[in-house]
Amino acid sequence: MVGSVGNGLLDLGGREKVEPLPKEFDPEEIVDSLLHSESNIVGKEEDGTSRKIVLGRNVHTMCLEVKEPEADDEITGEREAYMAGVLARYRRSLIDRTKHHLGYPYNLDFDYGALIHLQHFSINNLGDPFIESNYGVHSRQFEVGVLDWFARLWELEKNEYWGYITNCGTEGNLHGILVGREVFPNGILYASKESHYSVFKAARMYRMECVKVATLVSGEIDCTDFRAKLVQNKEKPAIININIGTTVKGAVDDLDLVIQTLEENGFKDRFYIHCDGALFGLMMPFIKRVCATLISNSTSSFHYKQALNHNHASASLKSQQWSFGQAPKVTFKKPIGSVSVSGHKFVGCPVPCGVQITRLAHINALSSNVEYLASRDATIMGSRNGHAPIFLWYTLNRKGYQGFQKEVQKCLRNAHYLKNRLKEAGIGSMLNELSSTVVFERPKDEDFIRQWQLACEGNIAHVVVMPNVTIEKLDYFLRELLEKRSHWYQEGTISPPCLAAEIGEANCLCFSHKN
Amino acid sequence: MVGSVGNGLLDLGGREKVEPLPKEFDPEEIVDSLLHSESNIVGKEEDGTSRKIVLGRNVHTMCLEVKEPEADDEITGEREAYMAGVLARYRRSLIDRTKHHLGYPYNLDFDYGALIHLQHFSINNLGDPFIESNYGVHSRQFEVGVLDWFARLWELEKNEYWGYITNCGTEGNLHGILVGREVFPNGILYASKESHYSVFKAARMYRMECVKVATLVSGEIDCTDFRAKLVQNKEKPAIININIGTTVKGAVDDLDLVIQTLEENGFKDRFYIHCDGALFGLMMPFIKRVCATLISNSTSSFHYKQALNHNHASASLKSQQWSFGQAPKVTFKKPIGSVSVSGHKFVGCPVPCGVQITRLAHINALSSNVEYLASRDATIMGSRNGHAPIFLWYTLNRKGYQGFQKEVQKCLRNAHYLKNRLKEAGIGSMLNELSSTVVFERPKDEDFIRQWQLACEGNIAHVVVMPNVTIEKLDYFLRELLEKRSHWYQEGTISPPCLAAEIGEANCLCFSHKN
């Protein structure tokens, strides 16, 4: 439902089951106001259907009101009892919601019990990680350890990199693109249309000219279109956002081909590349050793390659390869400017966070001195969560490269398992190389989508197979999906939608494409 | 010491005592490289002394390296033991650092033990707080409760406000100023020179014209200068950052006078005001009921008023008032656009966070739809820490308006206690009305500054009296300061610096001004 008028209602219905928290709410009133409010903004889908997104007003559907304590609260203890009750119910709902979670790339499998005592401290890494602040309750020593690890992973020397631990993938993209703009103040930002929305937000915030580039069916940037757009703007330097895993399809842009395209078209030394590796930035380095046999039973892969081939000449080389790990490596030995990755995604972390690595040489252009902090000001945020680096440090130390490699292997295996079962059941689906994001037909029932927390766009939904997604969980999901689906598409009534536009004819299993 | 060459060394000296964590470090090597590196940037202070800030390289002074686990680690348990040891030492250092903390406005007095079980969940309020996302492990119901509380505090109706819980004060300023720019795309940003550095960072990020306005000795914006600057730029709308507590001096800008100045100079309906209430945004509403007798023993206040008077005509009215609470109230009943406040400051919270409240009408200009999230995109960040709203909700519920009022009272009383003791000891100091920030002579010894985590600028340092700063702690600090100071300024050698330029002649107790 994703913003449809029905959303409000269904949503609350779904929520009611798992979060019986106090709220003032009259569903009819809300629907009524949604239907009649002039401030609703009606969006048009590409398929012609319309979706309503309620932008004009705040729907206070769920709110735990803060109430002023009664004078005798300390004696009666009623306030404490009320709060304890709310928190207990909330915790129960979190357990349920964590169990039924497949759509967002968050590894929910972590145990930071050993760090529980640190929660009592206001740990704040304000300012620059490499310059001491006067504030002593920080965790810079952990932060720098984590940054060193990532700089090593992406092959940039200790004395040549700068970075920091961010609040999320968006902050990484905002930072990388800002560095690019400071290096090339009149540069144009290029990004494929399947880039994360924060990339386009950055362009708007920073008042940068922005050119959207077309994508292949896989979701990868289309370098033919990229070349055409570059040629139209030869006079200005290029700042490029490269996706190491697009948000919806998990597609990895071809870094080498992008660099080649830039250099062949007169942009040598006049470009800045930011790699948005929010999810796969940390998975890709570990993929190359994964055995190719993983996909040997993936019968659709050949068809998928054919589809790719059909769309873009340069894919022909790729289509002859039949193993993982052929994608261009992300490394600072190539002319890239920055890489960002999320910490709460593949690593797993209770708070959103990310890692940003760039070249130290670029940072001086960006920063200015802040005497109050005894620091330079090169981060987007000021105060910075000091717990996040400790979570990351803890997991990196425990798992190490080897541990991550095992987990990546498991994720890819399970993703292929899911994709194969979907195909067997006659459900159109796609799984990109180097990816654990399984794209498939959007379930018809919004309750089901919410129950499994699937992210959807147009006719497609996806499951991102993270380390906490086991075969058992996938089987549970598949059983429910197939059971429900048999009701949605009963013989003689509606048919499943055609997905050829989204995932290619070869992957679509609709009535016209299944043979 | 704030970036001087000596810093690196002393700093490590200071650190060594409290944080005996493994590091690879040779102090001589670092100092040597600092002295000879061409990439050092040398800044010039206004007083003519030079300070070196090391921008050209990363000083890996402190780093807890992430090491790949040995193959037999699971059997020997060595890795676990090593990590447990590091964490135990770190915790000990946090306890010490929390105890000796006076310079940053963080309330370190909180107990979130009741929320400890929530740390196991990856709680993420990605997207807009008022629009349901498909991701179910969120805490929007707490977030909206907290936002409602703040909207009520600043007198904006539920259906007229929009807001969200940010990662820190900087994100609040970035958001408020961005909203201002979207409302007035060609507006000029005005901010007093004592505004937080994030305000000037915003101007640079957003490519906005920015005009710095002079300040009074108190740190307040100088409206005479503001008027002069406005008159020079009549053709463009004005976006103004108002400080509800400046970072260094805790000065509160005169909101009413700013509005009056705008309206009298032809800017009616052509301005946007963002209130940066990082610290005092939450204290000010509770100050007005505090008894005026609190400052009755503050003998310097009259002199301070005289100094103010001397600097700015409009202060004459103020100087006749002799109680707290005469400062213009922050309320959306006045023509302001947004208010931000930090959550980890006066409230107290283990992670940096903040609250942003703006008018709903402004938000539609800013946002665009993001189908992936089933949400609009009106926040700066994407993924958002879902634990922070629960911390805030918990404290607001427990303390209520009454609890905050008591704490504000305690802070102001203790701040006056500190200022009076400093004056008695012959140390120049200043305490603004409506403020718990005591500004005084910068201690001569950098070890001492670091030990007490004092924030410094030029010749002044400050202590921000938060609820966790007791009379006992202040006495401990004063004893140490006076003891050390008797060595720094022995008779016949050096004298304490003159602070007339920073805090006014009336507050300075240097050799020339003490009588």
Side-chain angles (χ1 to χ4, degrees):
Chain A
M1 75 29 212
V2 185
S4 75
V5 173
N7 190 10
L9 254 187
L10 289 169
D11 209 2
L12 284 154
R15 239 126 291 265
E16 211 112 59
K17 290 172 208 152
V18 292
E19 289 184 356
L21 296 169
K23 56 186 180 292
E24 302 170 306
F25 173 68
D26 175 1
E28 284 184 3
E29 186 183 303
I30 294 228
V31 166
D32 199 56
S33 69
L34 291 185
L35 288 169
H36 299 102
S37 164
E38 286 183 59
S39 52
N40 289 341
I41 289 177
V42 181
K44 204 82 174 166
E45 291 287 31
E46 285 185 20
D47 64 358
T49 63
S50 69
R51 294 183 183 283
K52 286 195 181 159
I53 309 241
V54 190
L55 291 182
R57 62 197 297 275
N58 286 344
V59 184
H60 275 70
T61 49
M62 288 195 310
C63 170
L64 286 164
E65 199 189 343
V66 175
K67 289 178 191 158
E68 189 68 8
E70 302 283 335
D72 61 354
D73 256 345
E74 277 183 32
I75 305 157
T76 64
E78 272 178 30
R79 170 58 47 113
E80 291 290 326
Y82 158 74
M83 289 170 67
V86 168
L87 290 169
R89 284 194 299 278
Y90 178 59
R91 195 174 161 209
R92 195 177 63 201
S93 83
L94 288 180
I95 292 169
D96 176 273
R97 297 285 73 206
T98 295
K99 205 156 56 185
H100 294 90
H101 170 258
L102 287 177
Y104 291 80
Y106 308 146
N107 178 7
L108 303 184
D109 189 13
F110 51 75
D111 178 2
Y112 292 113
L115 307 179
I116 215 87
H117 295 296
L118 301 180
Q119 189 172 318
H120 302 296
F121 298 99
S122 184
I123 311 177
N124 192 334
N125 291 353
L126 64 174
D128 191 297
F130 297 100
I131 299 183
E132 194 80 31
S133 157
N134 288 345
Y135 182 62
V137 189
H138 67 77
S139 63
R140 282 182 169 69
Q141 60 276 55
F142 293 90
E143 183 173 20
V144 174
V146 170
L147 294 172
D148 280 356
W149 191 89
F150 278 93
R152 210 156 59 233
L153 185 70
W154 293 320
E155 305 183 303
L156 193 52
E157 292 295 319
K158 263 192 196 183
N159 57 358
E160 289 179 6
Y161 90 85
W162 183 89
Y164 74 108
I165 293 184
T166 59
N167 283 296
C168 57
T170 290
E171 187 175 354
N173 289 342
L174 290 182
H175 193 273
I177 294 168
L178 184 61
V179 170
R181 194 200 70 177
E182 296 301 285
V183 173
F184 294 115
N186 68 335
I188 293 176
L189 177 62
Y190 297 84
S192 90
K193 68 184 173 73
E194 299 197 32
S195 300
H196 191 252
Y197 60 89
S198 59
V199 171
F200 305 107
K201 175 156 68 180
R204 182 167 174 178
M205 278 170 71
Y206 300 154
R207 292 186 156 166
M208 294 170 76
E209 218 176 312
C210 178
V211 172
K212 273 194 193 183
V213 180
T215 47
L216 307 178
V217 167
S218 67
E220 265 181 75
I221 191 168
D222 177 347
C223 280
T224 306
D225 187 53
F226 180 45
R227 174 179 290 118
K229 303 259 159 85
L230 280 175
V231 170
Q232 288 165 25
N233 297 288
K234 282 216 164 191
E235 74 289 356
K236 291 186 181 168
I239 296 159
I240 308 99
N241 177 74
I242 286 285
N243 299 303
I244 310 301
T246 57
T247 315
V248 174
K249 294 179 179 173
V252 177
D253 289 345
D254 188 333
L255 176 60
D256 289 351
L257 192 55
V258 165
I259 294 172
Q260 190 188 325
T261 307
L262 284 159
E263 295 187 340
E264 284 176 2
N265 289 280
F267 284 82
K268 196 164 165 53
D269 300 327
R270 290 174 59 235
F271 64 85
Y272 179 97
I273 293 177
H274 168 67
C275 300
D276 174 5
L279 172 60
F280 296 133
L282 188 46
M283 293 178 73
M284 260 195 40
F286 302 107
I287 289 185
K288 61 178 167 194
R289 298 183 216 167
V290 174
C291 177
T293 55
L294 275 182
I295 54 162
S296 63
N297 63 343
S298 165
T299 54
S300 70
S301 194
F302 178 66
H303 297 292
Y304 159 58
K305 294 288 182 189
Q306 279 189 318
L308 242 188
N309 220 347
H310 181 73
N311 276 283
H312 192 271
S314 81
S316 61
L317 189 128
K318 279 196 192 168
S319 70
Q320 288 153 19
Q321 297 167 344
W322 191 250
S323 71
F324 288 113
Q326 305 303 325
K329 189 176 171 184
V330 173
T331 166
F332 279 92
K333 291 185 173 164
K334 299 176 183 173
I336 62 172
S338 46
V339 182
S340 56
V341 70
S342 293
H344 57 295
K345 291 183 178 162
F346 190 67
V347 180
C349 188
V351 296
C353 60
V355 174
Q356 182 70 0
I357 300 285
T358 182
R359 295 178 193 274
L360 182 57
H362 294 329
I363 282 303
N364 293 330
L366 180 73
S367 64
S368 54
N369 295 352
V370 184
E371 192 185 8
Y372 174 69
L373 294 183
S375 197
R376 66 186 157 199
D377 183 23
T379 57
I380 301 274
M381 293 295 130
S383 284
R384 298 189 298 107
N385 186 335
H387 294 269
I390 308 176
F391 290 128
L392 297 180
W393 182 88
Y394 185 81
T395 299
L396 297 185
N397 259 301
R398 289 195 71 178
K399 295 190 176 167
Y401 291 94
Q402 285 212 338
F404 284 117
Q405 196 176 320
K406 271 187 211 162
E407 293 204 330
V408 167
Q409 195 162 345
K410 186 178 127 190
C411 290
L412 294 184
R413 188 188 299 124
N414 291 354
H416 279 274
Y417 175 83
L418 173 61
K419 193 203 65 178
N420 292 332
R421 293 300 84 80
L422 286 168
K423 293 258 164 178
E424 282 167 18
I427 301 174
S429 61
M430 177 174 92
L431 171 58
N432 273 312
E433 270 193 314
L434 311 162
S435 170
S436 68
T437 299
V438 179
V439 178
F440 61 101
E441 166 199 306
R442 179 188 191 132
K444 206 171 167 311
D445 185 319
E446 296 302 329
D447 264 344
F448 182 84
I449 288 174
R450 229 175 349 269
Q451 165 73 356
W452 287 97
Q453 299 163 57
L454 304 176
C456 299
E457 199 173 81
N459 282 324
I460 55 175
H462 75 205
V463 160
V464 186
V465 179
M466 286 282 97
N468 63 317
V469 176
T470 59
I471 293 285
E472 291 67 37
K473 188 182 271 194
L474 292 174
D475 280 339
Y476 176 20
F477 168 74
L478 284 160
R479 264 198 315 277
E480 280 215 358
L481 176 66
L482 298 184
E483 206 273 319
K484 295 269 183 190
R485 201 168 177 270
S486 68
H487 297 291
W488 302 332
Y489 304 115
Q490 282 175 32
E491 217 176 318
T493 55
I494 344 158
S495 303
C498 171
L499 306 177
E502 282 98 347
I503 62 176
E505 289 188 9
N507 290 311
C508 181
L509 294 174
C510 78
F511 187 76
S512 351
H513 294 116
K514 70 181 163 192
N515 297 310
Chain B
M1 131 339 260
V2 184
S4 78
V5 173
N7 188 13
L9 254 184
L10 288 170
D11 209 4
L12 283 152
R15 236 134 282 272
E16 211 112 57
K17 290 172 209 152
V18 291
E19 289 185 355
L21 295 169
K23 54 182 182 284
E24 301 170 309
F25 173 67
D26 175 1
E28 284 183 5
E29 188 182 298
I30 293 227
V31 167
D32 198 51
S33 68
L34 291 184
L35 288 169
H36 298 101
S37 164
E38 288 183 59
S39 53
N40 289 342
I41 289 176
V42 181
K44 205 82 172 165
E45 291 287 37
E46 284 184 19
D47 63 356
T49 63
S50 69
R51 297 182 180 284
K52 286 195 179 157
I53 308 243
V54 191
L55 291 183
R57 62 196 297 275
N58 286 344
V59 185
H60 275 69
T61 50
M62 290 195 308
C63 170
L64 286 164
E65 199 189 346
V66 175
K67 290 177 189 159
E68 189 67 9
E70 301 283 335
D72 60 355
D73 257 343
E74 279 183 31
I75 304 157
T76 65
E78 272 177 31
R79 169 57 47 114
E80 291 289 327
Y82 158 74
M83 289 169 67
V86 167
L87 290 170
R89 283 194 300 278
Y90 178 60
R91 196 177 159 205
R92 197 177 60 201
S93 83
L94 288 180
I95 291 169
D96 177 273
R97 296 287 73 206
T98 295
K99 204 156 53 185
H100 294 90
H101 170 259
L102 287 177
Y104 291 80
Y106 308 147
N107 178 7
L108 303 185
D109 190 13
F110 51 74
D111 178 3
Y112 291 113
L115 307 178
I116 214 86
H117 295 297
L118 301 181
Q119 190 172 317
H120 302 296
F121 297 99
S122 185
I123 311 179
N124 191 334
N125 290 353
L126 66 172
D128 191 298
F130 297 100
I131 300 183
E132 194 80 30
S133 156
N134 288 345
Y135 183 61
V137 189
H138 66 77
S139 64
R140 280 182 170 71
Q141 60 275 55
F142 294 89
E143 183 174 20
V144 174
V146 170
L147 295 172
D148 279 356
W149 191 90
F150 278 92
R152 210 156 55 232
L153 186 69
W154 295 320
E155 305 183 302
L156 193 52
E157 293 295 319
K158 262 192 194 182
N159 57 359
E160 287 179 6
Y161 90 86
W162 183 89
Y164 74 107
I165 293 184
T166 60
N167 284 295
C168 57
T170 290
E171 187 175 353
N173 289 342
L174 291 182
H175 194 273
I177 295 168
L178 185 60
V179 170
R181 195 199 69 177
E182 297 300 287
V183 173
F184 293 115
N186 69 333
I188 294 177
L189 178 62
Y190 297 85
S192 91
K193 68 185 173 69
E194 299 197 33
S195 301
H196 191 252
Y197 60 90
S198 58
V199 172
F200 305 107
K201 175 155 70 180
R204 182 167 174 179
M205 279 170 71
Y206 300 154
R207 293 185 155 165
M208 292 169 78
E209 218 176 310
C210 178
V211 173
K212 272 194 197 184
V213 181
T215 47
L216 306 178
V217 168
S218 66
E220 264 182 74
I221 190 167
D222 177 346
C223 280
T224 307
D225 187 54
F226 180 45
R227 175 178 290 120
K229 303 261 160 83
L230 279 175
V231 169
Q232 287 166 27
N233 295 288
K234 283 216 163 190
E235 73 291 354
K236 289 184 181 169
I239 296 159
I240 307 100
N241 178 74
I242 287 286
N243 298 303
I244 310 301
T246 59
T247 316
V248 174
K249 295 179 180 173
V252 177
D253 290 344
D254 188 334
L255 175 60
D256 289 349
L257 192 54
V258 166
I259 294 172
Q260 191 188 326
T261 308
L262 284 160
E263 294 188 341
E264 284 176 3
N265 289 280
F267 284 83
K268 195 163 166 56
D269 300 329
R270 290 173 60 234
F271 64 86
Y272 179 98
I273 293 178
H274 169 67
C275 300
D276 175 5
L279 172 58
F280 297 133
L282 188 47
M283 292 178 73
M284 260 196 39
F286 302 107
I287 289 186
K288 62 178 166 193
R289 298 182 217 167
V290 173
C291 177
T293 56
L294 276 181
I295 55 165
S296 62
N297 64 342
S298 165
T299 55
S300 70
S301 193
F302 178 66
H303 297 292
Y304 159 60
K305 294 287 181 189
Q306 279 190 317
L308 243 186
N309 221 347
H310 183 72
N311 275 281
H312 192 271
S314 81
S316 60
L317 190 128
K318 276 196 192 168
S319 69
Q320 289 154 18
Q321 296 166 345
W322 190 251
S323 70
F324 288 113
Q326 305 305 326
K329 188 176 172 186
V330 173
T331 166
F332 279 92
K333 290 184 174 166
K334 299 176 183 173
I336 61 172
S338 45
V339 182
S340 57
V341 68
S342 293
H344 58 296
K345 291 183 177 160
F346 190 67
V347 181
C349 187
V351 297
C353 59
V355 174
Q356 182 72 0
I357 300 285
T358 184
R359 295 180 193 272
L360 182 58
H362 294 328
I363 281 304
N364 294 330
L366 181 74
S367 63
S368 54
N369 296 352
V370 184
E371 192 185 9
Y372 173 68
L373 294 183
S375 198
R376 66 187 159 199
D377 184 23
T379 58
I380 302 273
M381 292 295 130
S383 284
R384 298 189 298 109
N385 186 335
H387 295 268
I390 307 176
F391 290 129
L392 296 181
W393 181 88
Y394 185 79
T395 298
L396 297 186
N397 259 301
R398 288 196 71 179
K399 296 191 177 165
Y401 290 93
Q402 286 213 336
F404 283 117
Q405 197 178 318
K406 271 188 211 162
E407 294 204 329
V408 167
Q409 196 162 344
K410 187 179 127 190
C411 290
L412 294 185
R413 187 187 298 125
N414 292 354
H416 279 273
Y417 175 83
L418 173 61
K419 194 204 64 180
N420 292 334
R421 294 299 86 80
L422 286 167
K423 293 256 164 179
E424 282 165 19
I427 301 174
S429 60
M430 177 175 92
L431 171 58
N432 273 312
E433 271 194 313
L434 311 163
S435 170
S436 68
T437 300
V438 180
V439 179
F440 61 103
E441 165 199 304
R442 180 190 189 130
K444 206 172 169 309
D445 186 319
E446 296 302 329
D447 264 343
F448 182 84
I449 288 174
R450 228 173 350 267
Q451 167 71 359
W452 286 98
Q453 300 164 59
L454 304 176
C456 299
E457 199 173 79
N459 283 325
I460 55 175
H462 74 206
V463 159
V464 186
V465 178
M466 288 280 99
N468 63 317
V469 176
T470 59
I471 294 284
E472 291 68 36
K473 187 181 272 193
L474 292 173
D475 280 339
Y476 175 20
F477 167 73
L478 283 160
R479 268 199 311 278
E480 281 214 359
L481 176 66
L482 298 183
E483 206 272 320
K484 296 269 182 189
R485 201 167 175 271
S486 68
H487 297 291
W488 302 334
Y489 304 116
Q490 281 174 32
E491 217 176 318
T493 54
I494 344 160
S495 302
C498 170
L499 306 178
E502 282 98 347
I503 62 176
E505 290 187 10
N507 292 311
C508 180
L509 294 174
C510 78
F511 186 74
S512 353
H513 294 118
K514 70 180 160 193
N515 296 311

